[in-house]
Amino acid sequence: MRFELRRIRSLLLVGATLLATSCDTLSPEFLDREPTDLLLEDQVWTDSKLVLGLLANFYNRLPEIYSVAHNYEGFAHFDEAMWSGGNNSPNDIAAYPYGWWSIWDYRLVRDLNLFLEKLAESELEPADIELFTAEGRFLRAYVYFEMVKRMGGVPIITQTYEYDFSGDPSYLQFPRATEAEVYDFIAAELDEIKDKLPAEPSYSRATRWTALALKSRAMLYAGSIAKYNSAMSQPIRTQGGEVGIPADRAQGYYEASLAASEEIIASGRYSLYRNNPDPAQNFYETFTNMQDNPEVIWARMFTLNGKYHNFTFDNIPRSLREDNESGSLINPSLNLVEAFEYLDGSSGELRTRDENGDYIYYDDPADIFANKDPRLWGTVIYPGSTFRGQPVEIQAGVLRWNEATSSYQEISSTTPGTRYTDGGVLVGADGPVDFDNVTHSGFYIRKWLDPRPGSGQRGQGTDIWWIRFRYGEILLNAAEAAFELDRTADALRYINEVRERAGFGPNSLSSLTIDRIRNERRVELAFENHRFFDMKRWRLAHVVWNGNRSSEDAMVRSLYPYRIDRPGDPRDDKYVFIERVAPDFLQPRFFRLGNYYSEINQDIRNANPKIVPNPFH
């Protein structure tokens, strides 16, 4: 009984306290008070620093198909690389789904439109309004470029709309613009804002040069779609032009691309990175030196204070791991390695057999790569090379000579780092073996790997930037556009500048073909998100990635080094190489005509019946 009385008294006391508090909370004075811990919308538009914070949010939301910080598994979806993670799906793609690479980011477009409208009504200084407006329009143009290069024409929306709850949403339903109209919109926007953006270079924010770089790339895409789509036996088009650009637009787009590139080139604001006299190391540093780098026009920046990524943790060679998990995920392909020419200009095909079909014997595993384009070293870790000054041991096994059969017997192991009976290496500490987180192709990626010790550990990560535009690409854009406009001398000048920085002699090319330009882009821009879109705009993706298992281009090939066990023979202890398809690479790359333009989700079409579907979907 005494317990019940105490409990009742306690409840009454709590109730009285709550009643008094509630009366105070609900008073008119309380409700009229200004919050001290919330930022009101009107306050944002009076402070340029707060507006800059909004812009930072938009920069951070820009779409990326693949990058060092986003879905880098995609680097292993085509012919640049394969995958060695626990999930083998990148090596087992029966056909690319039609919905892959789809983007319909009207949430970001609406936020940018609202930003521009609020900015126009704000009381900021006129100079700030002009700068932020130009920056917002640049970001919107960039988003439209990301959409058009994947979807074709999309609705061009440049203001915000509100639903009136009338039950009739038709006034909010806009049809797709033509593919050409979207490219024209991007070009017009960039032309209007470029003079309002800073002329002083900035790695992280839009400048005059960033706008020109975007125009250089976008117009090149539009020009090549106009030319090469029209050259197909059955061009990919829709009746309303949502997909497909008329062939007679090609020249104008190429001219616009070349003009944008040449304005950057003539400005003298940028140059190729040449800080290291060793061309191989120099090319690697182009992507890892984030101080005073004259080549970088625009990059996505990271910081070790919270905004870092795990590219190095996930891709450092196995024997150099700084953690007990991950590593080695992206394995460059032999296809890519052989795209790098020799310095004498000959084909980059590696010499593994002589004219009689016999092995070619090398004293050192690295010898087969001698005199190759130094960019190969800057992009790929191959057998016999190093990373951070440490050897990367890549050896698939030993070939033991059998006198009775006059042939070699392959001896290997499924375990990396095993020894042979003579005490030497049987399988290298870095594979290749069919084992998670060890190379399956015989190569590791070097481009984008952080040289800083510790960056391969969980919890530390790396702040290596993701370069969106760089001067090397601008030179190659100029070379391609000039070539398409029959200005071959200019094209040669631009492409030879890129090759000379790579390590070739001056004017290493005296004649040019479109295939030569394409290969130059393939090696210079590997793992920078260009290969996939280049193959699409040239309308070569369905030809090269044709789903044919017997096609060397559709299969991701590997190169396995072996040491020779042949005592008493001069070939003993030398190295040979065997080309093969890695055991767990299961499906040839198969890009269908319906992949040139990604599928528009049915939910989008249900909400807006004016949206025309893409061909083949």
Side-chain angles (χ1 to χ4, degrees):
M1 178 63 73
R2 293 182 61 187
F3 169 78
E4 290 299 325
L5 287 174
R6 283 200 302 271
R7 184 179 179 195
I8 291 171
R9 281 199 295 269
S10 297
L11 289 172
L12 287 172
L13 180 60
V14 170
T17 304
L18 287 173
L19 181 62
T21 304
S22 298
C23 289
D24 182 56
T25 301
L26 296 176
S27 68
E29 292 76 13
F30 178 86
L31 295 175
D32 288 342
R33 287 193 307 173
E34 292 287 347
T36 58
D37 57 349
L38 293 175
L39 195 58
L40 299 178
E41 181 178 331
D42 289 344
Q43 292 176 284
V44 172
W45 301 105
T46 61
D47 187 331
S48 60
K49 292 180 180 176
L50 296 178
V51 175
L52 192 58
L54 274 177
L55 271 174
N57 173 272
F58 297 143
Y59 276 100
N60 207 41
R61 291 166 57 190
L62 290 177
E64 290 171 342
I65 186 168
Y66 310 121
S67 76
V68 293
H70 171 71
N71 194 25
Y72 40 75
E73 177 184 302
F75 289 142
H77 282 171
F78 306 103
D79 57 7
E80 288 184 328
M82 61 179 298
W83 186 253
S84 74
N87 172 11
N88 197 45
S89 60
N91 304 326
D92 191 18
I93 304 170
Y96 297 115
Y98 288 144
W100 273 26
W101 319 299
S102 175
I103 177 175
W104 201 263
D105 198 351
Y106 281 93
R107 182 185 297 274
L108 181 51
V109 169
R110 186 185 189 282
D111 287 350
L112 285 163
N113 286 338
L114 182 62
F115 171 82
L116 293 170
E117 291 168 2
K118 290 289 186 183
L119 199 57
E121 299 168 355
S122 77
E123 298 179 356
L124 294 176
E125 293 294 325
D128 287 338
I129 293 176
E130 180 177 271
L131 172 61
F132 292 147
T133 299
E135 212 163 348
R137 290 174 68 180
F138 167 80
L139 296 175
R140 188 176 60 186
Y142 187 85
V143 176
Y144 272 104
F145 177 56
E146 286 294 319
M147 290 201 285
V148 71
K149 68 184 183 181
R150 306 185 207 187
M151 314 302 295
V154 295
I156 299 175
I157 309 297
T158 58
Q159 66 179 80
T160 58
Y161 294 90
E162 296 289 342
Y163 180 49
D164 61 8
F165 295 96
S166 65
D168 178 14
S170 60
Y171 70 100
L172 298 174
Q173 295 168 337
F174 294 89
R176 299 172 65 184
T178 68
E179 190 170 12
E181 286 171 341
V182 178
Y183 278 107
D184 293 343
F185 168 75
I186 293 167
E189 285 288 284
L190 297 173
D191 286 344
E192 285 191 24
I193 62 172
K194 68 174 185 176
D195 294 334
K196 298 170 184 173
L197 290 167
E200 192 63 29
S202 166
Y203 291 145
S204 59
R205 291 181 63 182
T207 66
R208 173 187 182 84
W209 317 110
T210 314
L212 286 166
L214 176 56
K215 188 176 180 187
S216 163
R217 187 187 294 174
M219 296 300 97
L220 188 67
Y221 278 36
S224 44
I225 291 170
K227 177 173 180 176
Y228 293 103
N229 187 65
S230 302
M232 297 176 78
S233 57
Q234 293 184 317
I236 304 171
R237 294 176 179 145
T238 54
Q239 190 172 6
E242 294 86 357
V243 160
I245 300 176
D248 61 6
R249 298 291 312 273
Q251 179 169 339
Y253 285 130
Y254 282 131
E255 289 173 347
S257 174
L258 181 58
S261 298
E262 289 187 327
E263 191 170 341
I264 296 172
I265 294 167
S267 74
R269 297 275 185 168
Y270 298 93
S271 62
L272 295 174
Y273 183 91
R274 296 177 186 271
N275 291 12
N276 194 311
D278 176 351
Q281 181 70 27
N282 183 72
F283 190 68
Y284 168 65
E285 290 178 5
T286 300
F287 306 93
T288 55
N289 184 352
M290 299 181 286
Q291 302 294 323
D292 300 323
N293 189 321
E295 182 159 347
V296 175
I297 298 174
W298 188 34
R300 184 179 180 189
M301 308 298 289
F302 299 92
T303 169
L304 296 178
N305 296 321
K307 187 185 174 185
Y308 56 82
H309 58 83
N310 291 317
F311 189 82
T312 301
F313 166 70
D314 279 335
N315 290 288
I316 194 168
R318 181 180 180 83
S319 68
L320 302 181
R321 290 196 305 185
E322 298 171 308
D323 202 290
N324 63 348
E325 290 187 356
S326 202
S328 319
L329 294 180
I330 299 168
N331 305 160
S333 65
L334 178 60
N335 315 41
L336 173 64
V337 168
E338 292 195 323
F340 289 85
E341 300 172 13
Y342 286 92
L343 284 172
D344 62 4
S346 60
S347 163
E349 185 177 353
L350 293 173
R351 294 149 189 169
T352 59
R353 302 272 184 165
D354 63 19
E355 60 275 10
N356 299 317
D358 296 330
Y359 289 118
I360 295 177
Y361 296 83
Y362 293 93
D363 293 333
D364 185 275
D367 289 350
I368 192 173
F369 307 99
N371 299 317
K372 289 276 281 186
D373 179 341
R375 287 175 294 188
L376 172 62
W377 188 95
T379 305
V380 173
I381 298 172
Y382 50 71
S385 62
T386 61
F387 180 66
R388 292 182 185 164
Q390 300 296 313
V392 178
E393 190 179 73
I394 302 173
Q395 180 179 310
V398 167
L399 295 188
R400 182 166 59 196
W401 181 251
N402 186 326
E403 289 289 352
T405 62
S406 294
S407 63
Y408 284 111
Q409 176 187 2
E410 181 178 334
I411 302 171
S412 188
S413 167
T414 58
T415 305
T418 53
R419 313 301 289 185
Y420 186 51
T421 53
D422 63 1
V425 173
L426 174 61
V427 173
D430 294 292
V433 293
D434 186 10
F435 196 89
D436 291 350
N437 303 116
V438 188
T439 183
H440 294 185
S441 71
F443 305 103
Y444 289 91
I445 190 170
R446 186 189 303 274
K447 187 180 274 189
W448 307 116
L449 280 190
D450 194 337
R452 178 180 58 83
S455 57
Q457 295 180 39
R458 277 174 293 183
Q460 288 207 24
T462 171
D463 60 349
I464 292 292
W465 55 13
W466 171 246
I467 301 173
R468 289 181 166 128
F469 292 113
R470 63 182 176 93
Y471 190 68
E473 183 209 343
I474 298 303
L475 287 171
L476 292 180
N477 291 352
E480 183 178 340
F483 179 82
E484 296 286 7
L485 294 168
D486 294 326
R487 289 173 50 180
T488 307
D490 291 330
L492 278 167
R493 177 158 47 88
Y494 296 133
I495 200 169
N496 277 332
E497 184 176 345
V498 174
R499 289 169 62 85
E500 186 174 349
R501 185 276 293 270
F504 290 89
N507 301 316
S508 59
L509 294 179
S510 56
S511 61
L512 209 50
T513 65
I514 188 63
D515 287 340
R516 199 86 194 225
I517 293 172
R518 288 169 176 167
N519 195 66
E520 200 65 31
R521 290 184 67 90
R522 183 178 185 182
V523 298
E524 172 76 20
L525 305 174
F527 301 116
E528 296 182 53
N529 263 351
H530 290 280
R531 174 72 173 164
F532 168 61
F533 290 111
D534 281 349
M535 296 294 280
K536 269 165 55 94
R537 66 185 175 86
W538 292 326
R539 294 299 190 251
L540 289 175
H542 72 291
V543 177
V544 174
W545 304 324
N546 59 12
N548 187 341
R549 190 172 293 277
S550 63
S551 167
E552 288 194 348
D553 294 326
M555 299 297 286
V556 171
R557 294 177 294 123
S558 305
L559 185 72
Y560 284 14
Y562 289 84
R563 184 166 61 90
I564 295 297
D565 176 18
R566 198 169 179 175
D569 188 279
R571 289 162 285 197
D572 184 51
D573 224 24
K574 294 186 181 295
Y575 294 87
V576 299
F577 293 83
I578 297 177
E579 301 177 23
R580 58 174 46 140
V581 174
D584 57 347
F585 187 81
L586 304 178
Q587 299 283 355
R589 300 306 192 205
F590 188 24
F591 187 100
R592 297 171 288 174
L593 292 175
N595 291 123
Y596 276 107
Y597 295 95
S598 294
E599 185 174 26
I600 300 173
N601 189 287
Q602 187 62 47
D603 291 343
I604 294 170
R605 293 168 54 200
N606 290 342
N608 182 358
K610 295 176 184 173
I611 297 297
V612 176
N614 276 334
F616 308 107
H617 301 165

